[in-house]
Amino acid sequence: MPENKVTFGLRNVHYATYTVAAEVVTFDTPIAIPGAVELTNEPRGDMIEFYADDMLYYSASNNQGYDGTLSIANIPEQFGQDALGEELDDVDAVINELQDAKGKPFALMFEFDGDLKSVRHVMYSCTAKRPSVASSTKTNAVTPNTKVLTFVASPIEISGKRMVKTKTTKATSAAIYDAWYTAVYKKVVV
């Protein structure tokens, strides 16, 4: 089977919070984030360069994950509570942003369409910062606002490896590909 020549688009954005106990990462069930507009992930970590003998003697990359931004139609209230630490007041049905809020880390899952098959991704350990609050007046043309979620995707130890991101390939089995948004993919160690 040939590989995609190009990828385009963005869809099926999901998140799953997780906990770590006794060095085992347990992901919660993924929850959809509808209305994905744009996703950008910039590599974190500088290139290591060592000079000796009047030349670049050694160089290596330093993978510390990604700095990401996700533009979406709206930030779901559940995401705000799960990942940003916002608090729902059950009596008054309002959501409070608290000064000392502690968000939870989460896996971020998404896919890019391809000319042959969509490529599904998971970034295992993301933390998000509070989004900006902004809007503008309506004019003769109404343009919907988007919300920008800024996050850091960093390495996390899963199954004995420091994982940052995993993506599907043309040879990924149907069982793994079809279950991508049912549970966060983790290699099953036999």
Side-chain angles (χ1 to χ4, degrees):
M1 176 179 189
E3 293 182 24
N4 284 327
K5 291 181 182 176
V6 295
T7 58
F8 46 87
L10 170 64
R11 64 179 178 215
N12 286 329
V13 176
H14 287 67
Y15 76 96
T17 55
Y18 66 85
T19 54
V20 180
E23 299 183 17
V24 175
V25 179
T26 304
F27 291 97
D28 296 321
T29 302
I31 299 172
I33 300 178
V37 176
E38 183 177 10
L39 175 70
T40 304
N41 291 304
E42 296 293 329
R44 286 178 66 91
D46 295 329
M47 192 70 157
I48 299 166
E49 296 181 348
F50 176 72
Y51 289 85
D53 296 331
D54 290 338
M55 64 180 194
L56 179 60
Y57 190 75
Y58 173 79
S59 66
S61 65
N62 179 12
N63 187 345
Q64 296 299 316
Y66 294 89
D67 289 319
T69 57
L70 173 63
S71 296
I72 51 182
N74 206 4
I75 296 174
E77 291 175 0
Q78 189 65 50
F79 180 86
Q81 294 170 55
D82 292 343
L84 301 175
E86 296 175 348
E87 181 181 274
L88 175 63
D89 182 314
D90 293 328
V91 175
D92 294 343
V94 297
I95 294 179
N96 298 306
E97 179 181 312
L98 305 173
Q99 184 269 328
D100 59 349
K102 302 283 189 265
K104 285 185 77 176
F106 57 94
L108 185 66
M109 304 156 72
F110 53 92
E111 72 182 70
F112 301 143
D113 199 5
D115 58 312
L116 299 174
K117 188 174 185 179
S118 294
V119 179
R120 295 179 171 177
H121 300 255
V122 58
M123 302 179 99
Y124 289 105
S125 182
C126 300
T127 51
K129 76 177 212 177
R130 294 176 305 128
S132 297
V133 178
S135 191
S136 59
T137 191
K138 294 190 289 185
T139 61
N140 61 339
V142 178
T143 304
N145 294 319
T146 57
K147 305 292 184 197
V148 178
L149 190 63
T150 304
F151 62 93
V152 172
S154 54
I156 186 171
E157 183 127 349
I158 298 176
S159 303
K161 293 183 178 182
R162 291 183 182 170
M163 303 294 293
V164 175
K165 181 173 89 67
T166 295
K167 67 179 183 177
T168 61
T169 68
K170 66 179 184 175
T172 300
S173 73
I176 291 172
Y177 190 86
D178 294 344
W180 200 258
Y181 301 109
T182 305
V184 174
Y185 170 78
K186 288 190 335 185
K187 174 132 181 99
V188 177
V189 180
V190 180

